[in-house]
Amino acid sequence: MIDFFERSHFLDYEVLRPLSHIRAHWELSSGYDGCHFEIEEDSFAKELGELIDELEETSIPARYHDNEDRLAEYVREKFKQEINKVGNRWVGNDYRIILQDAGILDIDEKNLVQSAKGRIVAAQKRNQNHYDDMEPGHRKMLGVILTLILFHRADNA
């Protein structure tokens, strides 16, 4: 799994920079002593490395969209948001905001982690074997999901 993310030009910018208001050091450097990334104070590098390890061990979901749909359903039911699924897309609010709101209810970020794993496997099935090689829209959505996982875990730390 680390090979999918290592030496990425986009990973830190798309996943950690949006969290720079929480922890200022968002740029990643290669790690050493068994760490995927260099651990710096006021950084999510350690947590991102741990998340990558978790993704390695996470089972592959049958359909990662089911996990995301479950999250959107939470938002519709619990927050009474007027969102609906039209075809394969949720409408009524920005999809990133829907997932962000749902993360509050996603115990241990289980659905977000499953969604991330599914998106990675889907990319690999299309011979996109590195984060930077993913189709840009799918890469950015995976980045949003990874950011949300780290955000919600930081909130609980």
Side-chain angles (χ1 to χ4, degrees), residues 122-139:
Q124 291 170 328
K125 285 181 180 176
R126 292 173 178 84
N127 292 319
Q128 300 167 9
N129 294 310
H130 191 270
Y131 183 82
D132 291 0
D133 296 334
M134 290 180 73
E135 185 277 322
H138 289 282
R139 185 190 74 232

Side-chain angles (χ1 to χ4, degrees), residues 25 39-43:
H25 295 121
I39 308 302
E40 296 182 89
E41 186 177 336
D42 202 28
S43 165

